[in-house]
Amino acid sequence: MTTNEENTKLGLTVDEAREMLGIGRNLMLKLVKVKGFPAVRFKRKIIINKELLPK
C-alpha cells in the first residue's frame, strides 16, 4: 500500500489497527467486541474507524 492510500483510507483492518496500536491480534479482536468500540462488521470482515482510534 502506498503512503497516499494510507492517508486517504478511513477504515482499517484488524491487522492494520493492531499494528498501529502495537497490540496482539487476540486483544484487538476482544476490543472489537466491546460496546462503543469504533468498528463495523460486514459478514466476516471487520473495519475499524481510523479517526476514532487513539494515536
Side-chain angles (χ1 to χ4, degrees):
M1 183 177 314
T2 65
T3 305
N4 190 27
E5 288 176 11
E6 289 175 1
N7 290 338
T8 60
K9 200 172 176 183
L10 296 176
L12 301 172
T13 64
V14 169
D15 287 328
E16 292 169 338
R18 76 168 182 82
E19 285 179 22
M20 188 173 134
L21 296 174
I23 61 175
R25 183 171 172 79
N26 288 338
L27 179 56
M28 189 73 227
L29 290 172
K30 286 180 184 179
L31 286 173
V32 166
K33 294 178 183 178
V34 173
K35 187 176 181 178
F37 190 82
V40 178
R41 185 180 295 266
F42 297 104
K43 294 194 180 189
R44 293 188 59 170
K45 185 155 182 118
I46 301 169
I47 304 297
I48 300 159
N49 187 330
K50 181 179 179 180
E51 299 298 318
L52 298 177
L53 281 180
K55 304 276 179 196

